[in-house]
Amino acid sequence: MSDQTGLLIIGASQSGVQLAISLRALGFEEPITLLGEENHRPYQRPALSKEWLQGEVGNESLIFRSAEYWDEHNVTLVKDQRIVRVEKNPDGSGVAVAESGAEFPFKRLALTVGARARKMAVDGADLVGVVYLRNADDALALKAIVGDATDVAVVGGGFIGLEAASSLKKMGKNVTVLEYGPRLVGRAVGEETAEYFLEAHRARGLDIRLNARITRFTGEAGAVAGVEFEDGSVVPAQIVLVGIGVVPNTELAEQMGLAVDNGIVVDSHALASDGTTVAVGDCANMPNPVPGSPAGERIRLESVNNAIEHAKVAAYSLMGRREDYAGIPWFWSNQADLKLQIAGLSMGFDATVVRRDDERGKFSVLYYRSGRIIAADCVNAPLDFMAVKNALAKGQNVPADAVQSADPGVQLKTLAVPLTTAAAGGTS
Ligand SMILES: Cc1cc2nc3c(=O)[nH]c(=O)nc-3n(C[C@H](O)[C@H](O)[C@H](O)COP(=O)(O)OP(=O)(O)OC[C@H]3O[C@@H](n4cnc5c(N)ncnc54)[C@H](O)[C@@H]3O)c2cc1C
């Protein structure tokens, strides 16, 4: 059907870039095409809500690799081409067709298509000044209007919303965070961490409203002017930044007949249900990679660390090797002077222990399942983060009772012990 011209990677961001780099490091010799729909060189997203938004770093610092690097490594970069259809043969080869009509033949295919911002469906959502923050174009659109705004409403109290809100506050804006749920960062952290962030952000001047029932965005002359609530009250806003989560880009996978369930379903070697296509990063639903997690548990992660580690697994797969996900998933989120680091995955926890040292501004929550540590949220506590990450990687426990009875000044790493049979039980 097609000229088989090596590997085609659809999606030129964190996962796609890492996949190309890892393949070359492993000695993959076929041509690689790294193709994306955005009209930018591949760039890193995290600073868009933080240092870049605040003007602390410029555009160039976000770019992953130089043009020379890609040339030297025989990787063809294609920008501004949105793939709308893939025709694939059972042997893994095929052709991808772009909206423009351009065709990209391949011998093997990788989907690193990520996720897109979930859209807000209320009256006024189309007004000028209602913006999102998923990609560089979104960020540029926000930056273009931020200078003229006094009041900003951030819809969504998740990581992106809180990072952007903290940046905008630092830039001198009156910022109101509107969260639909009863607490902040509902999806990713437990109650204690959510409560800590609520307290800490309020103390730093963010107006945070939980259980916010938005009915519409009000406008004047086509531009947003405020956010209206069920009780008729209005918060003024010349910018409304919506950060209510993302939707994985699964349309191509669906069109190809691949299994999809909150992401493209892959096995522990990043292979999709056809056995030849790899899918990596934010778009992929994979087996929980943490050693000792319950058999069959699956997860879709949205983090830089996962994009990198998952891409390495996929690179091995494309080289015909079966290697496990290396390391323990981790995540960071910088919000003003609050530096959150999360080690492990807290899903399924049944107990927590809080370590709080207000004098030094440190706060950690340790999560346990059946007596075994599975994760930690650490705010301005990098040593706690490292201790838990290392313990998880070494298959050790940090027993809850030892942490509870220890002074917050005691280093967690000194409390790590080999897993007892009891704590190792209950998981497989
Ligand atoms: C503002 C912001 C701040 C963040 N901060 C942090 C942080 O502090 N820490 C952290 O760990 N993570 C952070 N993240 C998350 C992290 O950036 C993502 O997890 C990571 O980018 C995922 O990489 P990916 O390559 O899997 O997907 P994406 O980055 O979503 O890239 C997918 C690419 O595929 C392209 N694409 C999709 N469909 C098609 C198609 N049909 N044809 C062609 N191209 C297509 C998309 O346009 C996109 O460029 C942040 C994300 C954002 C948006």
Side-chain angles (χ1 to χ4, degrees), residues 12 17 32-35 41-42 65-67 70 75-79:
V17 163
I32 297 176
T33 303
L34 178 57
L35 174 150
R41 286 170 292 158
R65 296 283 168 137
S66 65
W70 297 118
V75 175
T76 306
L77 278 191
V78 179
K79 293 190 294 186

Side-chain angles (χ1 to χ4, degrees), residues 46 58-59 141 146 149 209 236 263 272 308 313 358 361 367 408 421 425:
N59 298 354
V146 78
R209 308 195 185 181
I308 292 171
V313 171
D358 285 336
Y367 295 87
T421 322

Side-chain angles (χ1 to χ4, degrees), residues 243-324:
I244 54 172
V246 297
V247 181
N249 291 321
T250 55
E251 290 74 9
L252 282 180
E254 281 163 44
Q255 177 264 313
M256 289 169 64
L258 301 177
V260 165
D261 177 13
N262 178 32
I264 304 166
V265 174
V266 294
D267 66 12
S268 52
H269 304 294
L271 284 165
S273 57
D274 62 356
T276 55
T277 303
V278 295
V280 180
D282 278 22
C283 70
N285 175 332
M286 62 181 177
N288 184 338
V290 178
S293 53
E297 192 168 75
R298 302 187 68 86
I299 189 153
R300 190 176 64 76
L301 293 171
E302 297 162 10
S303 74
V304 166
N305 160 254
N306 175 63
I308 292 171
E309 294 306 329
H310 203 205
K312 292 178 187 169
V313 171
Y316 281 120
S317 265
L318 290 166
M319 296 292 289
R321 284 167 59 181
R322 299 287 177 259
E323 299 281 341
D324 287 336

